[in-house]
Amino acid sequence: MTLWWAIAAVCAGCYALKLAGLAAPRKVLDHPAVRRFAELVPVALLAALIAVQTFTEKGGLSFDPARTAGLAAAVVALLLRAPFLVVLAAAAVVTALARIFLG
């Protein structure tokens, strides 16, 4: 039963946060610091997610050459301004090939 209370509390908190964003005055949303924060937070969260997925395994740090090669391929594809699906395909293909050749 405690789990359901936690789920209900998280749902209420998410709803309150969304409502606060919708109810915020335009003057607050147009402030340069708020704008900059809103632009940078998704980038920081995505970078953290990528780092965690690439360099951890079973709760600890690990170095997987195949994952790292796939990440490098994705970075190169992004630098070449490839479309998103090409970036994903490049990362997947390089990771698969690295797993085949590196074991």
Side-chain angles (χ1 to χ4, degrees):
M1 190 65 181
T2 305
L3 178 64
W4 286 109
W5 283 111
I7 291 171
V10 169
C11 289
C14 287
Y15 182 77
L17 187 61
K18 178 108 174 156
L19 186 62
L22 292 173
R26 175 58 66 192
K27 185 172 97 173
V28 172
L29 298 176
D30 287 339
H31 192 275
V34 173
R35 236 170 225 243
R36 184 80 174 145
F37 179 79
E39 290 172 358
L40 293 178
V41 165
V43 174
L45 289 174
L46 183 58
L49 178 64
I50 290 169
V52 167
Q53 292 296 315
T54 303
F55 300 113
T56 63
E57 188 173 333
K58 296 180 183 173
L61 286 175
S62 72
F63 180 75
D64 183 6
R67 283 192 225 165
T68 306
L71 178 61
V75 168
V76 169
L78 286 171
L79 289 174
L80 294 174
R81 303 221 181 244
F84 183 67
L85 289 177
V86 173
V87 173
L88 289 179
V93 167
V94 169
T95 302
L97 289 173
R99 290 215 189 277
I100 291 170
F101 290 120
L102 298 176

